Amino acid sequence: MDNPRLIQTGAYPGVSDLIVFHFSVGHPMYILFVEVKSAKGKLSPKQLMFKEMIVKMNSILSYHIIRSLDEFKLVLLNLP
């Protein structure tokens, strides 16, 4: 269910929990959209739509579903 307070502040329904901007000298900027879920958590229909939109956009954007801090660390360690 959409959070009315977030929508009132301009948040896009389905947007990921975290947005990470990665800057590295000599490399392009990358923007990671990270959705945090429990071990059995699933994306809502609006989250699925948001994910599909990000995946289709271009190569500097990426979408990740993480279920633990270790998974998040692996995502960050594998950035170019």
Side-chain angles (χ1 to χ4, degrees), residues 43 45-58 63:
L43 296 178
K46 287 189 179 178
Q47 289 172 326
L48 281 169
M49 287 174 43
F50 181 79
K51 175 187 175 186
E52 290 170 6
M53 180 182 70
I54 294 303
V55 169
K56 288 179 183 177
M57 286 185 128
N58 66 39
Y63 190 94

Side-chain angles (χ1 to χ4, degrees), residues 8-77:
Q8 288 174 349
T9 63
Y12 185 84
V15 73
S16 60
D17 295 318
L18 304 169
I19 301 172
V20 179
F21 295 86
H22 177 262
F23 301 91
S24 181
V25 176
H27 295 279
M29 175 183 71
Y30 289 90
I31 304 170
L32 290 77
F33 294 86
V34 180
E35 183 63 38
V36 180
K37 291 289 183 192
S38 67
K40 294 182 181 182
K42 296 180 181 179
L43 296 178
S44 71
K46 287 189 179 178
Q47 289 172 326
L48 281 169
M49 287 174 43
F50 181 79
K51 175 187 175 186
E52 290 170 6
M53 180 182 70
I54 294 303
V55 169
K56 288 179 183 177
M57 286 185 128
N58 66 39
S59 62
I60 68 161
L61 303 178
S62 63
Y63 190 94
H64 303 271
I65 300 169
I66 60 160
R67 298 176 190 284
S68 69
L69 181 57
D70 288 335
E71 282 186 26
F72 185 56
K73 288 177 184 178
L74 281 174
V75 167
L76 295 178
L77 286 172

